[in-house]
Amino acid sequence: MKACLLHAPARIESNPLEYGETADPSPGPGQILVRVNVCGVCRTDLHVIEGELPPKRSPVIPGHQVVGVVERTGEGARRFALGARVGIAWLHKTDGTCEYCRRGQENLCDAPLFTGYSVDGGYAERIVAPEKFVYSIPPGFPDEQAAPLLCAGIIGYRCLRMVEIGEGARLGFYGFGAAAHVAIQVARHWGAKVFASTRDVRHQKLALELGATWAGGRLEEPPDKLDAAIVFAPAGEIVPAALRALRKGGRLILGGIHMSDIPSFSYDLLYQERMIRSVANNTRQDGEEFLALAAEIPIRTRVQVYPLRETNRALNALKNDAIPGAGVVKVER
Ligand SMILES: [Zn+2]
Ligand SMILES: [Zn+2]
């Protein structure tokens, strides 16, 4: 099959993903083989490719927002029919036995495997995954539009669940990429007002189109004090700026898997019961709940589509903030 392989971490500007032939994967017990139609691009791919996350496998096929169809099933795998449309996300598998898994916090599993990082991912014509960690894709979403729901969407949803959002709540978004452009639709559905701080004017414009009350520069303070804010951008210097924008008792949620160092700041910014919390991965329950909600709202993603052989180009565009909404790589047959 054709796939994009990463042999060693390198800056995305050097186009390190090598597009070429590699062996088809074969489904083991409990696994399914999925023919990939599309795979969404995500900032975590950049952290994997550029080595900000320590390498787990080499070579590796990145990509963890896969939409495709079940082509073959491994021994004992009966959950999906052949030809069913499914989604594969970041969480490939957990051990199911550690204290976090037993507590219902499988997102914090001590021995997790991640798609496109510890195991091969979706920038390929085929992929295998344990059927228990695969999602059904609700009807009503074309493949391209469904792909960004699988990481950007699910993680954004988990971030939103960490804050109390009622009618009229004031919610700040720092960074307005793929995750934020989905999360704003959920936040608006729940009646929140969204204030978007982001450096790129195209992203500010998209935020306003999607119903933001206000959009401004990356470290700019919104006109009202925020009940909560979510930082989607991987830049630590945003943290003090976002704390400054919170009301007393407000919550700050950090949505990224990696962030540059957070500069030191005065305790005054945190005092008065403000809170900072990170979000790590997601549980399968987050995924199931979010996909059902996405169909109900319904969420409409804005996507820019690239052919599989141009995955490097898609990821360069992501790094340069040149994708309004979400980027998606498509397998052409
Ligand atoms: Zn575990
Ligand atoms: Zn992701």
Side-chain angles (χ1 to χ4, degrees):
M1 68 170 183
K2 289 277 194 288
C4 293
L5 288 156
L6 178 72
H7 291 275
R11 289 175 63 77
I12 194 66
E13 290 82 355
S14 69
N15 299 322
L17 292 180
E18 191 187 298
Y19 176 76
E21 271 303 319
T22 189
D24 271 31
S26 163
Q31 292 189 327
I32 56 176
L33 175 73
V34 172
R35 196 180 65 206
V36 179
N37 290 337
V38 295
C39 182
V41 303
C42 173
R43 190 161 290 276
T44 299
D45 299 328
L46 286 174
H47 298 318
V48 170
I49 291 166
E50 299 198 322
E52 284 147 339
L53 299 177
K56 299 271 191 207
R57 174 184 172 86
S58 178
V60 66
I61 302 171
H64 57 270
Q65 302 189 89
V66 177
V67 178
V69 296
V70 179
E71 195 170 69
R72 198 143 63 83
T73 56
E75 190 193 324
R78 290 185 193 91
R79 186 170 163 213
F80 298 102
L82 294 182
R85 188 167 76 137
V86 295
I88 297 172
W90 174 242
L91 195 62
H92 173 83
K93 197 180 179 184
T94 56
D95 60 9
T97 56
C98 75
E99 66 169 297
Y100 299 98
C101 285
R102 282 186 278 125
R103 233 187 241 161
Q105 294 179 303
E106 66 180 357
N107 61 307
L108 302 179
C109 178
D110 282 333
L113 293 176
F114 297 116
T115 311
Y117 180 39
S118 11
V119 299
D120 282 336
Y123 297 138
E125 291 179 327
R126 290 185 175 78
I127 183 175
V128 291
E131 64 169 2
K132 286 184 182 163
F133 287 80
V134 171
Y135 299 93
S136 275
I137 300 290
F141 297 100
D143 290 345
E144 290 87 345
Q145 294 225 331
L149 302 176
L150 289 163
C151 183
I154 295 173
I155 294 294
Y157 176 72
R158 187 169 174 88
C159 292
L160 289 172
R161 292 295 308 274
M162 300 284 169
V163 299
E164 288 151 37
I165 301 180
E167 191 65 39
R170 299 176 306 266
L171 180 62
F173 283 178
Y174 287 82
F176 203 85
H181 105 289
V182 176
I184 190 174
Q185 298 179 54
V186 178
R188 296 286 298 134
H189 180 72
W190 288 340
K193 288 184 185 169
V194 173
F195 299 79
S197 301
T198 180
R199 65 184 166 191
D200 192 283
V201 290
R202 284 167 298 186
H203 295 187
Q204 291 174 14
K205 193 168 157 267
L206 178 60
L208 293 170
E209 277 172 37
L210 291 172
T213 300
W214 172 91
R218 178 166 173 268
L219 301 176
E220 212 174 308
E221 200 167 328
D224 294 317
K225 284 291 180 197
L226 304 172
D227 296 307
I230 303 172
V231 179
F232 292 108
E237 65 268 26
I238 291 173
V239 171
L243 280 173
R244 196 167 289 120
L246 287 184
R247 67 159 168 80
K248 290 184 269 190
R251 291 186 190 194
L252 181 60
I253 307 299
L254 310 181
I257 191 170
H258 170 84
M259 182 179 254
S260 58
D261 287 354
I262 300 172
S264 69
F265 53 83
S266 159
Y267 180 56
D268 294 342
L269 292 184
L270 187 61
Y271 187 57
Q272 303 288 8
E273 304 197 341
R274 293 177 181 91
M275 253 187 284
I276 304 180
R277 185 172 182 178
S278 67
V279 161
N281 315 312
N282 65 275
T283 63
R284 279 172 281 177
Q285 191 183 340
D286 294 328
E288 300 290 354
E289 279 177 20
F290 169 69
L291 289 172
L293 181 63
E296 178 196 320
I297 292 177
I299 300 274
R300 288 290 169 248
T301 55
R302 308 259 179 121
V303 296
Q304 196 152 320
V305 180
Y306 298 81
L308 177 64
R309 69 163 66 81
E310 292 181 24
T311 305
N312 282 311
R313 189 161 73 83
L315 287 159
N316 273 289
L318 173 65
K319 187 172 181 179
N320 295 324
D321 289 338
I323 303 177
V328 171
V329 163
K330 184 171 188 164
V331 177
E332 287 169 326
R333 293 188 168 86

